[in-house]
Amino acid sequence: MDKYFVGMRVEVVGHEEGFWNSYFGAIVLRVDRTKLRVRYEELIDENEEYIEEDVAMKHVRPYPPESREVNYRMNVGDDVDVYDREGWWRGEVVFVFDGELMVYFHYMAGDDTEDYGTFPLDRICIHQEVKEVAKGFAWSHVKVTG
């Protein structure tokens, strides 16, 4: 089984300053030996066309299972992904409000991006990690608190 194929939905993992630990949905357009040509699902350029780029395979992962909404009760300290600015951003829950969570984004500190943000629950899910297994990929949730 090929790891990636044309038409596959993937996420490009942020690998440049200001985008660490972010994930942007894309479709695979071409597969080469060490890189993929992708078209982002939501990122557009100044001509309002979807951005395409070549990305090293090490910066791509399969798109998580459609059930991004995980029915966990989230607590302070949980490792989460927040949907914001056309992508998913990894952070940590620092405060729980009624219907919203305040999240700290560790990996954006030092640039012009806010380190904290408050978001409604429908834009937050427990962070998921993927690993390659014999028959494809296996996903696991990362939950810090009990």
PDB file of all heavy atoms in Angstrom, residues 4-40:
ATOM      1  N   TYR A   4       0.866   7.601   0.527  1.00  0.00           N
ATOM      2  CA  TYR A   4       0.046   8.721   0.052  1.00  0.00           C
ATOM      3  C   TYR A   4      -0.279   8.496  -1.417  1.00  0.00           C
ATOM      4  O   TYR A   4       0.494   7.873  -2.134  1.00  0.00           O
ATOM      5  CB  TYR A   4       0.794  10.043   0.228  1.00  0.00           C
ATOM      6  CG  TYR A   4       1.080  10.362   1.672  1.00  0.00           C
ATOM      7  CD1 TYR A   4       2.357  10.212   2.199  1.00  0.00           C
ATOM      8  CD2 TYR A   4       0.063  10.797   2.523  1.00  0.00           C
ATOM      9  CE1 TYR A   4       2.619  10.491   3.534  1.00  0.00           C
ATOM     10  CE2 TYR A   4       0.326  11.072   3.856  1.00  0.00           C
ATOM     11  CZ  TYR A   4       1.595  10.917   4.351  1.00  0.00           C
ATOM     12  OH  TYR A   4       1.844  11.191   5.668  1.00  0.00           O
ATOM     13  N   PHE A   5      -1.413   9.005  -1.868  1.00  0.00           N
ATOM     14  CA  PHE A   5      -1.827   8.826  -3.254  1.00  0.00           C
ATOM     15  C   PHE A   5      -2.566  10.068  -3.743  1.00  0.00           C
ATOM     16  O   PHE A   5      -3.079  10.863  -2.942  1.00  0.00           O
ATOM     17  CB  PHE A   5      -2.699   7.577  -3.402  1.00  0.00           C
ATOM     18  CG  PHE A   5      -3.878   7.546  -2.459  1.00  0.00           C
ATOM     19  CD1 PHE A   5      -5.096   8.133  -2.804  1.00  0.00           C
ATOM     20  CD2 PHE A   5      -3.773   6.927  -1.219  1.00  0.00           C
ATOM     21  CE1 PHE A   5      -6.173   8.105  -1.930  1.00  0.00           C
ATOM     22  CE2 PHE A   5      -4.859   6.897  -0.344  1.00  0.00           C
ATOM     23  CZ  PHE A   5      -6.061   7.490  -0.698  1.00  0.00           C
ATOM     24  N   VAL A   6      -2.599  10.249  -5.042  1.00  0.00           N
ATOM     25  CA  VAL A   6      -3.275  11.391  -5.652  1.00  0.00           C
ATOM     26  C   VAL A   6      -4.752  11.373  -5.245  1.00  0.00           C
ATOM     27  O   VAL A   6      -5.406  10.333  -5.284  1.00  0.00           O
ATOM     28  CB  VAL A   6      -3.125  11.357  -7.188  1.00  0.00           C
ATOM     29  CG1 VAL A   6      -3.985  12.432  -7.845  1.00  0.00           C
ATOM     30  CG2 VAL A   6      -1.656  11.529  -7.575  1.00  0.00           C
ATOM     31  N   GLY A   7      -5.246  12.516  -4.815  1.00  0.00           N
ATOM     32  CA  GLY A   7      -6.637  12.639  -4.383  1.00  0.00           C
ATOM     33  C   GLY A   7      -6.841  12.438  -2.891  1.00  0.00           C
ATOM     34  O   GLY A   7      -7.921  12.709  -2.357  1.00  0.00           O
ATOM     35  N   MET A   8      -5.805  11.978  -2.197  1.00  0.00           N
ATOM     36  CA  MET A   8      -5.907  11.732  -0.754  1.00  0.00           C
ATOM     37  C   MET A   8      -6.004  13.061  -0.001  1.00  0.00           C
ATOM     38  O   MET A   8      -5.331  14.026  -0.325  1.00  0.00           O
ATOM     39  CB  MET A   8      -4.676  10.962  -0.274  1.00  0.00           C
ATOM     40  CG  MET A   8      -4.683  10.606   1.185  1.00  0.00           C
ATOM     41  SD  MET A   8      -3.176   9.652   1.568  1.00  0.00           S
ATOM     42  CE  MET A   8      -3.521   9.198   3.248  1.00  0.00           C
ATOM     43  N   ARG A   9      -6.838  13.082   1.001  1.00  0.00           N
ATOM     44  CA  ARG A   9      -6.959  14.246   1.875  1.00  0.00           C
ATOM     45  C   ARG A   9      -5.906  14.121   2.974  1.00  0.00           C
ATOM     46  O   ARG A   9      -5.803  13.078   3.631  1.00  0.00           O
ATOM     47  CB  ARG A   9      -8.357  14.282   2.481  1.00  0.00           C
ATOM     48  CG  ARG A   9      -8.688  15.566   3.163  1.00  0.00           C
ATOM     49  CD  ARG A   9     -10.145  15.574   3.574  1.00  0.00           C
ATOM     50  NE  ARG A   9     -10.501  16.888   4.085  1.00  0.00           N
ATOM     51  CZ  ARG A   9     -11.477  17.089   4.933  1.00  0.00           C
ATOM     52  NH1 ARG A   9     -12.217  16.093   5.355  1.00  0.00           N
ATOM     53  NH2 ARG A   9     -11.738  18.310   5.353  1.00  0.00           N
ATOM     54  N   VAL A  10      -5.107  15.174   3.146  1.00  0.00           N
ATOM     55  CA  VAL A  10      -4.018  15.162   4.117  1.00  0.00           C
ATOM     56  C   VAL A  10      -4.026  16.466   4.907  1.00  0.00           C
ATOM     57  O   VAL A  10      -4.798  17.383   4.609  1.00  0.00           O
ATOM     58  CB  VAL A  10      -2.642  15.001   3.421  1.00  0.00           C
ATOM     59  CG1 VAL A  10      -2.537  13.659   2.719  1.00  0.00           C
ATOM     60  CG2 VAL A  10      -2.365  16.147   2.454  1.00  0.00           C
ATOM     61  N   GLU A  11      -3.164  16.521   5.896  1.00  0.00           N
ATOM     62  CA  GLU A  11      -2.879  17.764   6.589  1.00  0.00           C
ATOM     63  C   GLU A  11      -1.399  18.061   6.440  1.00  0.00           C
ATOM     64  O   GLU A  11      -0.565  17.171   6.586  1.00  0.00           O
ATOM     65  CB  GLU A  11      -3.214  17.667   8.083  1.00  0.00           C
ATOM     66  CG  GLU A  11      -4.680  17.753   8.378  1.00  0.00           C
ATOM     67  CD  GLU A  11      -4.968  17.818   9.866  1.00  0.00           C
ATOM     68  OE1 GLU A  11      -4.195  17.267  10.676  1.00  0.00           O
ATOM     69  OE2 GLU A  11      -5.990  18.410  10.202  1.00  0.00           O
ATOM     70  N   VAL A  12      -1.112  19.325   6.131  1.00  0.00           N
ATOM     71  CA  VAL A  12       0.272  19.773   6.082  1.00  0.00           C
ATOM     72  C   VAL A  12       0.580  20.350   7.457  1.00  0.00           C
ATOM     73  O   VAL A  12      -0.123  21.228   7.954  1.00  0.00           O
ATOM     74  CB  VAL A  12       0.489  20.830   4.983  1.00  0.00           C
ATOM     75  CG1 VAL A  12       1.924  21.330   5.012  1.00  0.00           C
ATOM     76  CG2 VAL A  12       0.133  20.244   3.618  1.00  0.00           C
ATOM     77  N   VAL A  13       1.610  19.810   8.079  1.00  0.00           N
ATOM     78  CA  VAL A  13       1.999  20.226   9.420  1.00  0.00           C
ATOM     79  C   VAL A  13       2.880  21.464   9.292  1.00  0.00           C
ATOM     80  O   VAL A  13       3.864  21.456   8.549  1.00  0.00           O
ATOM     81  CB  VAL A  13       2.764  19.088  10.136  1.00  0.00           C
ATOM     82  CG1 VAL A  13       3.162  19.507  11.537  1.00  0.00           C
ATOM     83  CG2 VAL A  13       1.917  17.821  10.160  1.00  0.00           C
ATOM     84  N   GLY A  14       2.506  22.525  10.014  1.00  0.00           N
ATOM     85  CA  GLY A  14       3.274  23.775   9.966  1.00  0.00           C
ATOM     86  C   GLY A  14       4.724  23.543  10.326  1.00  0.00           C
ATOM     87  O   GLY A  14       5.028  22.949  11.359  1.00  0.00           O
ATOM     88  N   HIS A  15       5.612  23.987   9.471  1.00  0.00           N
ATOM     89  CA  HIS A  15       7.042  23.744   9.665  1.00  0.00           C
ATOM     90  C   HIS A  15       7.865  25.009   9.457  1.00  0.00           C
ATOM     91  O   HIS A  15       9.071  24.944   9.328  1.00  0.00           O
ATOM     92  CB  HIS A  15       7.513  22.631   8.728  1.00  0.00           C
ATOM     93  CG  HIS A  15       7.156  22.853   7.294  1.00  0.00           C
ATOM     94  ND1 HIS A  15       5.904  22.572   6.810  1.00  0.00           N
ATOM     95  CD2 HIS A  15       7.855  23.347   6.258  1.00  0.00           C
ATOM     96  CE1 HIS A  15       5.856  22.874   5.532  1.00  0.00           C
ATOM     97  NE2 HIS A  15       7.029  23.358   5.168  1.00  0.00           N
ATOM     98  N   GLU A  16       7.203  26.145   9.460  1.00  0.00           N
ATOM     99  CA  GLU A  16       7.901  27.418   9.348  1.00  0.00           C
ATOM    100  C   GLU A  16       7.562  28.278  10.555  1.00  0.00           C
ATOM    101  O   GLU A  16       6.508  28.101  11.182  1.00  0.00           O
ATOM    102  CB  GLU A  16       7.485  28.139   8.064  1.00  0.00           C
ATOM    103  CG  GLU A  16       7.872  27.391   6.804  1.00  0.00           C
ATOM    104  CD  GLU A  16       7.369  28.067   5.544  1.00  0.00           C
ATOM    105  OE1 GLU A  16       6.782  29.167   5.644  1.00  0.00           O
ATOM    106  OE2 GLU A  16       7.553  27.482   4.475  1.00  0.00           O
ATOM    107  N   GLU A  17       8.437  29.229  10.868  1.00  0.00           N
ATOM    108  CA  GLU A  17       8.206  30.106  12.010  1.00  0.00           C
ATOM    109  C   GLU A  17       6.832  30.763  11.903  1.00  0.00           C
ATOM    110  O   GLU A  17       6.430  31.215  10.848  1.00  0.00           O
ATOM    111  CB  GLU A  17       9.291  31.174  12.078  1.00  0.00           C
ATOM    112  CG  GLU A  17       9.221  31.989  13.353  1.00  0.00           C
ATOM    113  CD  GLU A  17      10.405  32.932  13.510  1.00  0.00           C
ATOM    114  OE1 GLU A  17      11.443  32.709  12.877  1.00  0.00           O
ATOM    115  OE2 GLU A  17      10.262  33.885  14.276  1.00  0.00           O
ATOM    116  N   GLY A  18       6.124  30.796  13.030  1.00  0.00           N
ATOM    117  CA  GLY A  18       4.782  31.351  13.060  1.00  0.00           C
ATOM    118  C   GLY A  18       3.700  30.331  12.768  1.00  0.00           C
ATOM    119  O   GLY A  18       2.519  30.599  12.948  1.00  0.00           O
ATOM    120  N   PHE A  19       4.100  29.144  12.292  1.00  0.00           N
ATOM    121  CA  PHE A  19       3.136  28.097  11.962  1.00  0.00           C
ATOM    122  C   PHE A  19       3.437  26.781  12.667  1.00  0.00           C
ATOM    123  O   PHE A  19       2.856  25.753  12.340  1.00  0.00           O
ATOM    124  CB  PHE A  19       3.108  27.860  10.440  1.00  0.00           C
ATOM    125  CG  PHE A  19       2.533  29.013   9.683  1.00  0.00           C
ATOM    126  CD1 PHE A  19       3.356  30.011   9.202  1.00  0.00           C
ATOM    127  CD2 PHE A  19       1.168  29.108   9.483  1.00  0.00           C
ATOM    128  CE1 PHE A  19       2.840  31.088   8.510  1.00  0.00           C
ATOM    129  CE2 PHE A  19       0.629  30.180   8.791  1.00  0.00           C
ATOM    130  CZ  PHE A  19       1.466  31.175   8.303  1.00  0.00           C
ATOM    131  N   TRP A  20       4.391  26.793  13.651  1.00  0.00           N
ATOM    132  CA  TRP A  20       4.711  25.557  14.363  1.00  0.00           C
ATOM    133  C   TRP A  20       3.443  24.964  14.956  1.00  0.00           C
ATOM    134  O   TRP A  20       2.607  25.671  15.491  1.00  0.00           O
ATOM    135  CB  TRP A  20       5.713  25.803  15.486  1.00  0.00           C
ATOM    136  CG  TRP A  20       6.994  26.456  15.061  1.00  0.00           C
ATOM    137  CD1 TRP A  20       7.479  27.637  15.531  1.00  0.00           C
ATOM    138  CD2 TRP A  20       7.951  25.992  14.118  1.00  0.00           C
ATOM    139  NE1 TRP A  20       8.676  27.938  14.929  1.00  0.00           N
ATOM    140  CE2 TRP A  20       8.990  26.949  14.043  1.00  0.00           C
ATOM    141  CE3 TRP A  20       8.034  24.872  13.300  1.00  0.00           C
ATOM    142  CZ2 TRP A  20      10.087  26.802  13.214  1.00  0.00           C
ATOM    143  CZ3 TRP A  20       9.136  24.734  12.471  1.00  0.00           C
ATOM    144  CH2 TRP A  20      10.145  25.686  12.437  1.00  0.00           C
ATOM    145  N   ASN A  21       3.330  23.666  14.867  1.00  0.00           N
ATOM    146  CA  ASN A  21       2.214  22.915  15.445  1.00  0.00           C
ATOM    147  C   ASN A  21       0.861  23.394  14.955  1.00  0.00           C
ATOM    148  O   ASN A  21      -0.097  23.485  15.709  1.00  0.00           O
ATOM    149  CB  ASN A  21       2.289  22.903  16.965  1.00  0.00           C
ATOM    150  CG  ASN A  21       3.379  21.973  17.422  1.00  0.00           C
ATOM    151  OD1 ASN A  21       3.354  20.788  17.105  1.00  0.00           O
ATOM    152  ND2 ASN A  21       4.358  22.497  18.122  1.00  0.00           N
ATOM    153  N   SER A  22       0.786  23.687  13.667  1.00  0.00           N
ATOM    154  CA  SER A  22      -0.489  23.962  13.020  1.00  0.00           C
ATOM    155  C   SER A  22      -0.692  22.897  11.954  1.00  0.00           C
ATOM    156  O   SER A  22       0.256  22.234  11.529  1.00  0.00           O
ATOM    157  CB  SER A  22      -0.487  25.360  12.392  1.00  0.00           C
ATOM    158  OG  SER A  22       0.508  25.454  11.391  1.00  0.00           O
ATOM    159  N   TYR A  23      -1.932  22.708  11.548  1.00  0.00           N
ATOM    160  CA  TYR A  23      -2.284  21.678  10.582  1.00  0.00           C
ATOM    161  C   TYR A  23      -3.288  22.271   9.602  1.00  0.00           C
ATOM    162  O   TYR A  23      -4.323  22.778  10.007  1.00  0.00           O
ATOM    163  CB  TYR A  23      -2.909  20.469  11.287  1.00  0.00           C
ATOM    164  CG  TYR A  23      -2.038  19.911  12.388  1.00  0.00           C
ATOM    165  CD1 TYR A  23      -2.117  20.403  13.692  1.00  0.00           C
ATOM    166  CD2 TYR A  23      -1.118  18.910  12.124  1.00  0.00           C
ATOM    167  CE1 TYR A  23      -1.304  19.909  14.703  1.00  0.00           C
ATOM    168  CE2 TYR A  23      -0.297  18.402  13.130  1.00  0.00           C
ATOM    169  CZ  TYR A  23      -0.403  18.906  14.410  1.00  0.00           C
ATOM    170  OH  TYR A  23       0.401  18.421  15.400  1.00  0.00           O
ATOM    171  N   PHE A  24      -2.972  22.185   8.299  1.00  0.00           N
ATOM    172  CA  PHE A  24      -3.828  22.753   7.272  1.00  0.00           C
ATOM    173  C   PHE A  24      -4.253  21.664   6.296  1.00  0.00           C
ATOM    174  O   PHE A  24      -3.409  20.953   5.741  1.00  0.00           O
ATOM    175  CB  PHE A  24      -3.099  23.875   6.524  1.00  0.00           C
ATOM    176  CG  PHE A  24      -2.862  25.075   7.382  1.00  0.00           C
ATOM    177  CD1 PHE A  24      -1.709  25.183   8.139  1.00  0.00           C
ATOM    178  CD2 PHE A  24      -3.814  26.080   7.471  1.00  0.00           C
ATOM    179  CE1 PHE A  24      -1.494  26.289   8.954  1.00  0.00           C
ATOM    180  CE2 PHE A  24      -3.613  27.183   8.285  1.00  0.00           C
ATOM    181  CZ  PHE A  24      -2.451  27.291   9.029  1.00  0.00           C
ATOM    182  N   GLY A  25      -5.557  21.537   6.075  1.00  0.00           N
ATOM    183  CA  GLY A  25      -6.098  20.528   5.175  1.00  0.00           C
ATOM    184  C   GLY A  25      -5.681  20.768   3.736  1.00  0.00           C
ATOM    185  O   GLY A  25      -5.639  21.909   3.271  1.00  0.00           O
ATOM    186  N   ALA A  26      -5.399  19.677   3.016  1.00  0.00           N
ATOM    187  CA  ALA A  26      -4.982  19.763   1.622  1.00  0.00           C
ATOM    188  C   ALA A  26      -5.347  18.468   0.891  1.00  0.00           C
ATOM    189  O   ALA A  26      -5.629  17.448   1.519  1.00  0.00           O
ATOM    190  CB  ALA A  26      -3.474  20.012   1.527  1.00  0.00           C
ATOM    191  N   ILE A  27      -5.299  18.548  -0.435  1.00  0.00           N
ATOM    192  CA  ILE A  27      -5.520  17.385  -1.297  1.00  0.00           C
ATOM    193  C   ILE A  27      -4.222  17.117  -2.046  1.00  0.00           C
ATOM    194  O   ILE A  27      -3.592  18.037  -2.572  1.00  0.00           O
ATOM    195  CB  ILE A  27      -6.658  17.650  -2.315  1.00  0.00           C
ATOM    196  CG1 ILE A  27      -7.973  17.982  -1.596  1.00  0.00           C
ATOM    197  CG2 ILE A  27      -6.826  16.477  -3.279  1.00  0.00           C
ATOM    198  CD1 ILE A  27      -8.540  16.853  -0.768  1.00  0.00           C
ATOM    199  N   VAL A  28      -3.821  15.843  -2.120  1.00  0.00           N
ATOM    200  CA  VAL A  28      -2.601  15.464  -2.830  1.00  0.00           C
ATOM    201  C   VAL A  28      -2.856  15.528  -4.332  1.00  0.00           C
ATOM    202  O   VAL A  28      -3.796  14.902  -4.844  1.00  0.00           O
ATOM    203  CB  VAL A  28      -2.134  14.049  -2.434  1.00  0.00           C
ATOM    204  CG1 VAL A  28      -0.932  13.613  -3.269  1.00  0.00           C
ATOM    205  CG2 VAL A  28      -1.809  13.979  -0.948  1.00  0.00           C
ATOM    206  N   LEU A  29      -2.015  16.298  -5.035  1.00  0.00           N
ATOM    207  CA  LEU A  29      -2.111  16.420  -6.490  1.00  0.00           C
ATOM    208  C   LEU A  29      -1.091  15.556  -7.215  1.00  0.00           C
ATOM    209  O   LEU A  29      -1.325  15.092  -8.323  1.00  0.00           O
ATOM    210  CB  LEU A  29      -1.912  17.879  -6.918  1.00  0.00           C
ATOM    211  CG  LEU A  29      -2.895  18.891  -6.341  1.00  0.00           C
ATOM    212  CD1 LEU A  29      -2.516  20.294  -6.786  1.00  0.00           C
ATOM    213  CD2 LEU A  29      -4.322  18.555  -6.747  1.00  0.00           C
ATOM    214  N   ARG A  30       0.078  15.360  -6.593  1.00  0.00           N
ATOM    215  CA  ARG A  30       1.152  14.571  -7.198  1.00  0.00           C
ATOM    216  C   ARG A  30       2.006  13.971  -6.093  1.00  0.00           C
ATOM    217  O   ARG A  30       2.256  14.614  -5.083  1.00  0.00           O
ATOM    218  CB  ARG A  30       2.005  15.449  -8.116  1.00  0.00           C
ATOM    219  CG  ARG A  30       3.064  14.689  -8.896  1.00  0.00           C
ATOM    220  CD  ARG A  30       3.878  15.565  -9.842  1.00  0.00           C
ATOM    221  NE  ARG A  30       4.649  16.564  -9.104  1.00  0.00           N
ATOM    222  CZ  ARG A  30       4.521  17.877  -9.233  1.00  0.00           C
ATOM    223  NH1 ARG A  30       3.641  18.393 -10.055  1.00  0.00           N
ATOM    224  NH2 ARG A  30       5.267  18.701  -8.523  1.00  0.00           N
ATOM    225  N   VAL A  31       2.469  12.752  -6.328  1.00  0.00           N
ATOM    226  CA  VAL A  31       3.337  12.066  -5.368  1.00  0.00           C
ATOM    227  C   VAL A  31       4.691  11.832  -6.022  1.00  0.00           C
ATOM    228  O   VAL A  31       4.780  11.234  -7.093  1.00  0.00           O
ATOM    229  CB  VAL A  31       2.727  10.710  -4.938  1.00  0.00           C
ATOM    230  CG1 VAL A  31       3.651  10.003  -3.968  1.00  0.00           C
ATOM    231  CG2 VAL A  31       1.341  10.900  -4.348  1.00  0.00           C
ATOM    232  N   ASP A  32       5.724  12.357  -5.402  1.00  0.00           N
ATOM    233  CA  ASP A  32       7.097  12.087  -5.838  1.00  0.00           C
ATOM    234  C   ASP A  32       7.754  11.230  -4.764  1.00  0.00           C
ATOM    235  O   ASP A  32       7.138  10.885  -3.763  1.00  0.00           O
ATOM    236  CB  ASP A  32       7.869  13.401  -6.037  1.00  0.00           C
ATOM    237  CG  ASP A  32       7.344  14.184  -7.232  1.00  0.00           C
ATOM    238  OD1 ASP A  32       6.886  13.563  -8.205  1.00  0.00           O
ATOM    239  OD2 ASP A  32       7.377  15.428  -7.181  1.00  0.00           O
ATOM    240  N   ARG A  33       9.008  10.951  -4.939  1.00  0.00           N
ATOM    241  CA  ARG A  33       9.727  10.075  -4.002  1.00  0.00           C
ATOM    242  C   ARG A  33       9.773  10.607  -2.580  1.00  0.00           C
ATOM    243  O   ARG A  33       9.561   9.867  -1.625  1.00  0.00           O
ATOM    244  CB  ARG A  33      11.158   9.914  -4.513  1.00  0.00           C
ATOM    245  CG  ARG A  33      11.645   8.536  -4.477  1.00  0.00           C
ATOM    246  CD  ARG A  33      13.030   8.514  -5.117  1.00  0.00           C
ATOM    247  NE  ARG A  33      13.981   8.056  -4.139  1.00  0.00           N
ATOM    248  CZ  ARG A  33      14.444   6.829  -4.137  1.00  0.00           C
ATOM    249  NH1 ARG A  33      14.072   5.986  -5.063  1.00  0.00           N
ATOM    250  NH2 ARG A  33      15.291   6.454  -3.213  1.00  0.00           N
ATOM    251  N   THR A  34      10.047  11.891  -2.406  1.00  0.00           N
ATOM    252  CA  THR A  34      10.213  12.453  -1.062  1.00  0.00           C
ATOM    253  C   THR A  34       9.281  13.624  -0.778  1.00  0.00           C
ATOM    254  O   THR A  34       9.342  14.205   0.298  1.00  0.00           O
ATOM    255  CB  THR A  34      11.661  12.937  -0.856  1.00  0.00           C
ATOM    256  OG1 THR A  34      11.947  13.933  -1.843  1.00  0.00           O
ATOM    257  CG2 THR A  34      12.642  11.785  -0.948  1.00  0.00           C
ATOM    258  N   LYS A  35       8.455  13.987  -1.749  1.00  0.00           N
ATOM    259  CA  LYS A  35       7.576  15.135  -1.541  1.00  0.00           C
ATOM    260  C   LYS A  35       6.244  14.926  -2.233  1.00  0.00           C
ATOM    261  O   LYS A  35       6.088  14.044  -3.079  1.00  0.00           O
ATOM    262  CB  LYS A  35       8.238  16.422  -2.037  1.00  0.00           C
ATOM    263  CG  LYS A  35       8.482  16.439  -3.519  1.00  0.00           C
ATOM    264  CD  LYS A  35       9.229  17.688  -3.943  1.00  0.00           C
ATOM    265  CE  LYS A  35       9.529  17.590  -5.438  1.00  0.00           C
ATOM    266  NZ  LYS A  35      10.326  18.659  -5.927  1.00  0.00           N
ATOM    267  N   LEU A  36       5.302  15.764  -1.848  1.00  0.00           N
ATOM    268  CA  LEU A  36       3.969  15.745  -2.430  1.00  0.00           C
ATOM    269  C   LEU A  36       3.645  17.135  -2.963  1.00  0.00           C
ATOM    270  O   LEU A  36       4.053  18.137  -2.380  1.00  0.00           O
ATOM    271  CB  LEU A  36       2.918  15.400  -1.364  1.00  0.00           C
ATOM    272  CG  LEU A  36       3.079  14.100  -0.599  1.00  0.00           C
ATOM    273  CD1 LEU A  36       2.049  14.020   0.516  1.00  0.00           C
ATOM    274  CD2 LEU A  36       2.951  12.917  -1.531  1.00  0.00           C
ATOM    275  N   ARG A  37       2.903  17.193  -4.038  1.00  0.00           N
ATOM    276  CA  ARG A  37       2.316  18.452  -4.499  1.00  0.00           C
ATOM    277  C   ARG A  37       0.902  18.462  -3.936  1.00  0.00           C
ATOM    278  O   ARG A  37       0.142  17.512  -4.125  1.00  0.00           O
ATOM    279  CB  ARG A  37       2.286  18.504  -6.030  1.00  0.00           C
ATOM    280  CG  ARG A  37       1.667  19.766  -6.590  1.00  0.00           C
ATOM    281  CD  ARG A  37       2.646  20.893  -6.455  1.00  0.00           C
ATOM    282  NE  ARG A  37       2.117  22.122  -7.030  1.00  0.00           N
ATOM    283  CZ  ARG A  37       2.744  23.262  -6.997  1.00  0.00           C
ATOM    284  NH1 ARG A  37       3.936  23.346  -6.438  1.00  0.00           N
ATOM    285  NH2 ARG A  37       2.226  24.328  -7.520  1.00  0.00           N
ATOM    286  N   VAL A  38       0.570  19.515  -3.176  1.00  0.00           N
ATOM    287  CA  VAL A  38      -0.742  19.591  -2.541  1.00  0.00           C
ATOM    288  C   VAL A  38      -1.445  20.898  -2.916  1.00  0.00           C
ATOM    289  O   VAL A  38      -0.805  21.887  -3.267  1.00  0.00           O
ATOM    290  CB  VAL A  38      -0.656  19.492  -0.998  1.00  0.00           C
ATOM    291  CG1 VAL A  38      -0.028  18.182  -0.555  1.00  0.00           C
ATOM    292  CG2 VAL A  38       0.082  20.681  -0.401  1.00  0.00           C
ATOM    293  N   ARG A  39      -2.768  20.864  -2.836  1.00  0.00           N
ATOM    294  CA  ARG A  39      -3.592  22.067  -2.953  1.00  0.00           C
ATOM    295  C   ARG A  39      -4.353  22.204  -1.636  1.00  0.00           C
ATOM    296  O   ARG A  39      -5.060  21.297  -1.210  1.00  0.00           O
ATOM    297  CB  ARG A  39      -4.577  21.973  -4.110  1.00  0.00           C
ATOM    298  CG  ARG A  39      -5.447  23.240  -4.236  1.00  0.00           C
ATOM    299  CD  ARG A  39      -6.472  23.172  -5.360  1.00  0.00           C
ATOM    300  NE  ARG A  39      -7.361  22.041  -5.144  1.00  0.00           N
ATOM    301  CZ  ARG A  39      -7.527  21.026  -5.993  1.00  0.00           C
ATOM    302  NH1 ARG A  39      -6.882  20.967  -7.126  1.00  0.00           N
ATOM    303  NH2 ARG A  39      -8.355  20.049  -5.698  1.00  0.00           N
ATOM    304  N   TYR A  40      -4.140  23.332  -0.976  1.00  0.00           N
ATOM    305  CA  TYR A  40      -4.799  23.555   0.302  1.00  0.00           C
ATOM    306  C   TYR A  40      -6.298  23.705   0.115  1.00  0.00           C
ATOM    307  O   TYR A  40      -6.770  24.247  -0.882  1.00  0.00           O
ATOM    308  CB  TYR A  40      -4.216  24.793   0.992  1.00  0.00           C
ATOM    309  CG  TYR A  40      -2.817  24.552   1.486  1.00  0.00           C
ATOM    310  CD1 TYR A  40      -1.716  24.945   0.728  1.00  0.00           C
ATOM    311  CD2 TYR A  40      -2.590  23.899   2.690  1.00  0.00           C
ATOM    312  CE1 TYR A  40      -0.421  24.705   1.164  1.00  0.00           C
ATOM    313  CE2 TYR A  40      -1.300  23.658   3.133  1.00  0.00           C
ATOM    314  CZ  TYR A  40      -0.226  24.060   2.362  1.00  0.00           C
ATOM    315  OH  TYR A  40       1.045  23.808   2.788  1.00  0.00           O
TER     316      TYR A  40
END
